[in-house]
Structure formats: structure tokens, C-alpha cells
Amino acid sequence: MKNQKRTKGTICVQGGWQPKTGEPRVLPIYQSTTFKYETSQQMADLFDLKAAGYFYTRLQNPTNDNVAAKICELEGGVAAMLTSSGQAANYYAVFNICSAGDHFVASSTLYGGTYNLFAVTMKKMGIEVTFVDPDASEDEIARAFRPNTRLLFGESVANPALTVLDIEKFARIAHSHGVPLIVDNTFPTPINCNPFDWGADIVTHSTTKYMDGHATAVGGAIVDSGNFDWAAHADNFPGLTTPDDSYHGLVYTTAFGQGAYITKATVQLMRDLGSIQAPMNAFLLNIGLETLHLRMQRHCSNAQAVAEFLASRPEVAWVSYPGLAGDKYHALAQKYMPTGTCGVLTFGLKGGRERSVEFMDSLRFISIVTHVADARSCVLHPASHTHRQLSDRQLVEAGVPADLIRFSVGIEDIEDILNDLQQALEKQ
Ligand SMILES: *Cc1c(COP(=O)(O)O)cnc(C)c1O
């Protein structure tokens, strides 16, 4: 979409759907699997990718594309697509340029689902990953690269480790090896961080989190900056730079230029694997996006107040939040996301695992759920829930000590959040 540069709040409200005279003001839900044409030739041209247009919702749907266009503009990219989940987004983003026999490098601090996808499931497909400490030196990270390495991957703010990625460092390492940097930007959202400004080439999202923001619909998105020159590293990316037999020998980089990566992911991966987002979910996501800029501000100011409150309490052993001046990632957060990071923080209580459970059970409106990043404040105790099969020692090795509580700070009034925390801390 070609608009003059607008600021993010305006894009959140006005981006994507641009109705013409007499059309609905609100993005309609195109609740249709299929689309009508006048002639057989028109349809044939679509199947040959000679003309752009909709024919079957498994590949593309106008509701989804309008929401993808809004996310694309928020990230400053050239092309974007929605997927059925954040998992599907990360899978497609990698699989679009990696096949059996290829290898990629990823930060070790990742969302658990992404870790499993990369380390276990994609391994079964013949794609190997090496995990690196994101804080390691450029030389150390570069040592993980092999001749068949196809990309570097990291999370701008990792869930739940809350490490902040040094995006410029990662981009330098990727580009010096002739491969792109893919950044999962779910936690800060494009409101707080634009990885493309720092050299990232592809951005992914679990739109299930802040973008939807109300815990109503699972979804994902992939955005391409258009900056990576696939043809200049043609040997690394034959899927993009050599003929695709399933489209009569079409070459994506030649036919689509900066749109090559997203076009391939749509007409090949979405066609064959079918992880499309339901248009109804895209509609809900779009309503969430309309207030993303307001909600992120509130999530961040509330989380900052909670982090400072917890850090001041004698019952609290430690607090991790990049917004805290003493946090290990404070300087990186200031550089890459000066308007704030996210609403998620982690902390531990003196008294360890048992005290953590008592504390959580004493909370009143802050609820115990397996989710983060929606309007309602919620907590999770990995040692009792997501990681309950691990021993205390294994928990430490996994980076989730037994006392760790993950707190997703919502957008309720801060006085009420702090009061709820205080009464639970003081309950014996
Ligand atoms: C939740 C999450 C995912 C997975 O997204 P789903 O929408 O649950 O499939 C991927 N990355 C990050 C950083 C996440 O927080």
C-alpha cells in the first residue's frame, strides 16, 4: 500500500482497508472460500501467477490481506501475509528458504514452542539448527555457521527469558555469511520496535499476543523488508532463484523482485500446507490492532510500575524486566525499543517454589492462565505448570528456576494491580 509516511497510531486505526466510495467503512469479513470469474482464461492466468487475484481462500483472502497490509505498514516492510498461528509463521518463515540438508542458527532464548519446532520437528524434516547464546561475541556466534547455513533467527524480546536481542549485531553476522536475519517481534510489537530499522530482513509475529490483545484469536504474520538480495546469494536460496516446477518453471526473484519471498510462501507453502488464518480471526485481529498503540503504552507503564514495586519489596528475591535501570538488558532495550519493551516480567519470591504457589493462589483478580500479552493481568508458575515434569536442577538449566513467576501485566488500573500484589505478598 503506497501511503505517505504516517505515524504508527494512525496506521493502527486507518491502515490496511481503504474503502472506495460507497464501500463499508469497516473492513468486511470475506466469509467465502472461493471467488468468481467471467472467463476460463482469467482463472488460468491466476493459476499461472500471470495475474494477481483471489480464487481460493486457502491461498489468499481479501480480509486477511488487508490486515497483513496494516501490519506490513507498521513494520515498514514491502510485503506481508497472515498465518493461522505464530507457530505457522515461524515454520513458514524458515521453511521458505530451508530444505532437507540445510542448517540454520538461532538464539537459544526462544519461546518454548519455537524451540520444539526448530529442535525436534524440523530436525525430522532434515533441517538442522544450532542454538547460540545471544549475548556471545560475534566471533563465537559466527563459529556456529556452516557452508549450508541459510538464516539466523532470534526474538527481539524473548518469551519468557526477557533477553533483548542485539539486532544490529545479529544482522551483521547474518549478512557477513550471505544469509538473512529473521526476528520474531511478538513481545515489543512494531509499536515499540521495528527490527527492519536495525538490519533485520524478515519479521514474524504471533498475533495471538498483543496484536489481538484480547485473547480471542490465535494467529500469526510474516513481513518482508524487501532488503535482502536473494539473487546476490543465489546458491544459498535455490527455492527463490531457480525454476519452480509447480508453476511451469517460474523463478520467484525474477518474476516478483522484492515480493519474491512472501509470494513463494503464499503460492507454494500456503497452497501446499494450508495454515491460513480464518477471515473471522483476521477481522478480530484488525479490531485489536486499532488500539495496539494505546494498549502497548499502558501495558508498559503498568509493567514498569509493577517491576519497581516488586523490586522494592522485602518478600521478593529478584525481578527481571528490561525497563528496570539495573537490568542486564536495560541498555539494549533503550537502544532498540526506547518507548518500552512489553508488559511481561518475571520474578521470584524468597521461600522458593512453595511460597510462589501460595502467593499465586492468594491473588484475587490477577488470574492463573497459560497465556501472556492480553488486556487482563495473569500469572503462570512454570515449575508447577508448563515445566512441571522437570526437577529443580533441570529447571535451573532450562533458565526457569523453581521460584520463577511469569507475570503478564494487563491494562487494568495500576492501583488495583499493585493492591492485589500487595495483599498476596502480605498473606502468610
Ligand atoms: C506465543 C508465541 C509464539 C507462538 O505463537 P502461537 O500464536 O501461540 O502459535 C511464537 N513466538 C513467540 C515469541 C510467542 O510468544
Side-chain angles (χ1 to χ4, degrees):
M1 202 181 48
K2 287 270 179 284
N3 281 301
Q4 69 273 36
K5 266 258 185 222
R6 306 188 280 193
T7 47
K8 288 177 188 170
T10 306
I11 301 167
C12 282
V13 182
Q14 297 269 353
W17 175 243
Q18 304 291 313
K20 300 183 196 75
T21 306
E23 287 186 343
R25 184 64 196 92
V26 176
L27 169 64
I29 307 172
Y30 285 84
Q31 193 66 45
S32 181
T33 59
T34 190
F35 301 83
K36 186 205 134 181
Y37 287 89
E38 299 292 338
T39 68
S40 176
Q41 188 59 47
Q42 287 172 338
M43 187 73 93
D45 287 348
L46 296 178
F47 275 96
D48 282 348
L49 304 182
K50 285 183 186 148
Y54 297 99
F55 53 99
Y56 191 53
T57 286
R58 169 151 43 74
L59 283 92
Q60 277 183 288
N61 174 284
T63 306
N64 295 20
D65 283 355
N66 277 283
V67 180
K70 179 182 280 191
I71 295 171
C72 189
E73 193 181 355
L74 281 171
E75 284 289 10
V78 297
M81 65 195 286
L82 299 188
T83 57
S84 56
S85 66
Q87 287 298 110
N90 283 329
Y91 171 45
Y92 281 28
V94 172
F95 195 58
N96 203 31
I97 48 173
C98 271
S99 30
D102 287 341
H103 168 259
F104 67 103
V105 179
S107 163
S108 59
T109 52
L110 292 179
Y111 171 66
T114 308
Y115 181 89
N116 284 334
L117 169 68
F118 289 175
V120 182
T121 300
M122 294 193 77
K123 192 172 176 202
K124 290 181 194 161
M125 301 171 174
I127 297 169
E128 250 195 289
V129 63
T130 302
F131 293 105
V132 293
D133 174 357
D135 300 330
S137 71
E138 289 191 34
D139 284 350
E140 220 174 309
I141 295 172
R143 276 201 286 279
F145 280 71
R146 305 175 190 172
N148 61 342
T149 301
R150 300 290 177 245
L151 65 100
L152 180 59
F153 185 98
E155 290 178 7
S156 47
V157 176
N159 172 13
L162 301 177
T163 56
V164 176
L165 192 72
D166 189 342
I167 303 171
E168 279 190 317
K169 176 178 84 174
F170 263 56
R172 262 197 313 274
I173 300 168
H175 297 159
S176 70
H177 291 84
V179 301
L181 171 62
I182 303 182
V183 172
D184 181 334
N185 197 31
T186 297
F187 263 26
T189 82
I191 299 303
N192 286 337
C193 179
N194 282 128
F196 295 157
D197 291 348
W198 306 99
D201 302 287
I202 309 287
V203 157
T204 60
H205 284 282
S206 165
T207 62
T208 318
K209 312 293 165 56
Y210 290 114
M211 282 192 172
D212 169 310
H214 303 80
T216 59
V218 174
I222 309 173
V223 189
D224 184 0
S225 67
N227 293 334
F228 193 82
D229 189 350
W230 310 103
H233 307 281
D235 291 351
N236 283 342
F237 308 104
L240 285 161
T241 61
T242 62
D244 181 347
D245 291 341
S246 69
Y247 285 108
H248 307 308
L250 171 138
V251 175
Y252 292 100
T253 43
T254 316
F256 300 104
Q258 283 188 316
Y261 176 91
I262 292 292
T263 303
K264 176 178 178 287
T266 301
V267 303
Q268 195 186 71
L269 299 188
M270 205 52 102
R271 178 196 63 186
D272 297 348
L273 301 170
S275 315
I276 195 77
Q277 186 166 133
M280 177 73 197
N281 283 6
F283 173 84
L284 292 170
L285 167 58
N286 190 48
I287 291 179
L289 286 168
E290 288 183 5
T291 56
L292 182 65
H293 55 306
L294 301 176
R295 289 184 288 105
M296 285 315 288
Q297 249 176 24
R298 180 65 167 253
H299 279 293
C300 292
S301 64
N302 277 359
Q304 185 70 29
V306 166
E308 287 169 11
F309 168 79
L310 290 172
S312 76
R313 294 291 303 198
E315 303 90 343
V316 174
W318 58 271
V319 185
S320 173
Y321 185 63
L324 285 177
D327 192 86
K328 185 179 172 193
Y329 295 98
H330 187 64
L332 285 174
Q334 295 253 293
K335 173 176 174 178
Y336 291 115
M337 38 204 88
T339 54
T341 52
C342 62
V344 179
L345 54 88
T346 58
F347 64 101
L349 294 178
K350 291 173 187 164
R353 178 197 291 258
E354 271 160 47
R355 186 68 196 112
S356 294
V357 171
E358 276 169 20
F359 164 79
M360 287 178 47
D361 289 348
S362 306
L363 290 166
R364 291 184 180 145
F365 75 85
I366 300 171
S367 50
I368 301 172
V369 298
T370 309
H371 196 249
V372 285
D374 77 69
R376 288 156 289 260
S377 288
C378 63
V379 287
L380 178 82
H381 183 226
S384 305
H385 309 138
T386 49
H387 294 63
R388 64 173 296 120
Q389 73 282 8
L390 302 191
S391 69
D392 279 12
R393 191 155 141 216
Q394 285 173 319
L395 284 169
V396 171
E397 283 167 5
V400 281
D403 65 345
L404 184 147
I405 297 171
R406 185 179 71 180
F407 185 10
S408 178
V409 185
I411 57 173
E412 301 92 344
D413 287 327
I414 187 62
E415 297 76 19
D416 292 329
I417 297 174
L418 295 181
N419 283 337
D420 199 6
L421 289 173
Q422 177 160 351
Q423 64 81 23
L425 283 172
E426 288 171 357
K427 203 164 206 165
Q428 291 304 323

